[in-house]
Amino acid sequence: MRVFTSFDEFAALKGEHLGYGEWHVVDQERINRFADATGDHQWIHVDAERAKDGPFGTTIAHGYLTLSMIPALGKDIFRLEGPKMLVNYGTDKVRFPSPVAVDSRVRVGAELLDVREVAQGKQAVVKYTVEIEGQPKPACVAESIVLIVL
C-alpha cells in the first residue's frame, strides 16, 4: 500500500505505475450474483453445461462484472490522505480484451495518467488494467476519473 500524505505528493507520480492489488478468484457464485443484480442471465455467464460447448469452453464473467470489481481489486494499491472526499466521476476508454473464465484469478494494476484542477477541486485519471493469471491479454483496461475534494 502506497500512502500519499498530500495531493502534491500524489500528483508528482503522474505517468508512473502505482502498483498491483492482490489476486482474487472469480467464481460462479459471484458471476451468478452479478447476473441476478443486473438481469443479464445470458447462457455464456450462467449455464455451465451449455457453456462447455460454447466459444469459451466454460462460463465467463460479465465484462461489467470485471469493471465493477476494480475498486475492490485496487483498494490496497494506494491511499490519498487529507481530502474531504473522493468521488467516482466516471470512466473513459473501457475495453475488455480477454474474457475471464470462471474460477480464474484476477488482479489489477494502477497507473496515474493525469491530474488536473477542476472547479470542484482536483481530478485524477487512473488507468486500471485487470490481469488474468496466466493469460497474455488483460481482462479489462479502463481509465477511472476521480474527483478529489480537498
Side-chain angles (χ1 to χ4, degrees):
M1 165 75 76
R2 294 180 78 171
V3 178
F4 301 99
T5 58
S6 72
F7 178 79
D8 290 339
E9 179 186 2
F10 177 67
L13 292 179
K14 178 179 172 180
E16 292 191 29
H17 198 272
L18 301 174
Y20 294 94
E22 299 295 321
W23 291 102
H24 293 267
V25 175
V26 181
D27 61 17
Q28 191 63 52
E29 181 182 352
R30 181 184 296 257
I31 294 169
N32 291 345
R33 287 193 325 257
F34 189 83
D36 289 342
T38 62
D40 181 355
H41 292 93
Q42 186 178 11
W43 63 270
I44 61 172
H45 304 303
V46 299
D47 187 338
E49 285 304 311
R50 186 171 176 193
K52 285 179 185 175
D53 297 323
F56 308 108
T58 189
T59 55
I60 61 169
H62 307 70
Y64 284 116
L65 168 57
T66 305
L67 178 65
S68 73
M69 290 175 62
I70 288 174
L73 293 172
K75 68 181 174 54
D76 296 326
I77 297 175
F78 69 91
R79 183 175 74 236
L80 177 57
E81 294 182 340
K84 292 178 184 172
M85 67 177 168
L86 303 175
V87 179
N88 176 6
Y89 190 78
T91 307
D92 284 339
K93 299 181 184 177
V94 176
R95 301 290 182 268
F96 303 106
S98 188
V100 177
V102 67
D103 295 326
S104 293
R105 286 177 16 123
V106 298
R107 72 173 181 177
V108 72
E111 178 185 351
L112 182 58
L113 293 185
D114 195 16
V115 290
R116 55 187 169 243
E117 300 276 338
V118 294
Q120 305 92 335
K122 313 278 188 182
Q123 264 186 1
V125 179
V126 180
K127 177 178 155 184
Y128 288 102
T129 302
V130 180
E131 300 177 346
I132 308 166
E133 188 174 46
Q135 298 295 319
K137 294 193 324 189
C140 179
V141 180
E143 295 178 9
S144 177
I145 305 165
V146 179
L147 175 63
I148 302 165
V149 180
L150 300 174

